[in-house]
Amino acid sequence: MKTTMNLLENALKNQPAPYWTQRLNLARTTLATAKVRGHLSPAIAGALAEEMGEDAKEWIVVAALESERDSACKTRMVRKILGRAALACVYGLAVAATVLIAPSQAMAHHTEAFLYIMYNLS
């Protein structure tokens, strides 16, 4: 699952923190504080994503979900919004491993199941 800390790490690989602080017009300690807290605010995540050429709306949603307290609603939204790709990726790896072990029979069964999951998650 992608997190705003992944976004920040990628940004810091490209440019140092002072660059982003100046570019986004942030206080000098804002990014360090975000690292300590473990997440960026939705506004900072969106602005940073935009500067990096990524989808700002997607990162705003990720940041908003990260900052929510744990609840059934949060779990539901994380699964719905962020979990699709993760679930597809994990299931895809399981299919690949099974196909390597028992290619003929496994391929038909797992391909059907994978397509069913992908269709119903959309």
Side-chain angles (χ1 to χ4, degrees):
M1 181 176 91
K2 60 167 105 180
T3 67
T4 57
M5 288 296 96
N6 299 135
L7 178 67
L8 182 57
E9 287 171 17
N10 288 337
L12 294 175
K13 285 178 188 174
N14 293 329
Q15 296 290 337
Y19 170 86
W20 294 113
T21 299
Q22 182 181 10
R23 184 83 181 174
L24 300 176
N25 197 23
L26 301 172
R28 188 175 54 84
T29 59
T30 302
L31 296 179
T33 302
K35 274 185 162 182
V36 170
R37 290 185 179 158
H39 63 87
L40 295 171
S41 74
I44 294 172
L48 186 58
E50 187 175 65
E51 289 292 326
M52 295 177 61
E54 295 196 28
D55 183 6
K57 290 178 185 177
E58 181 180 352
W59 283 106
I60 289 169
V61 171
V62 170
L65 287 171
E66 283 179 353
S67 62
E68 273 294 308
R69 290 187 179 161
D70 286 340
S71 68
C73 288
K74 177 182 178 177
T75 302
R76 177 180 171 185
M77 291 296 100
V78 166
R79 195 175 329 131
K80 180 176 182 165
I81 301 203
L82 303 176
R84 289 180 190 167
L87 178 62
C89 180
V90 168
Y91 196 80
L93 291 175
V95 169
T98 306
V99 168
L100 288 174
I101 296 168
S104 58
Q105 197 175 22
M107 185 64 171
H109 170 71
H110 287 294
T111 301
E112 255 182 40
F114 183 71
L115 291 173
Y116 176 81
I117 288 172
M118 292 307 296
Y119 177 79
N120 288 301
L121 286 176
S122 319

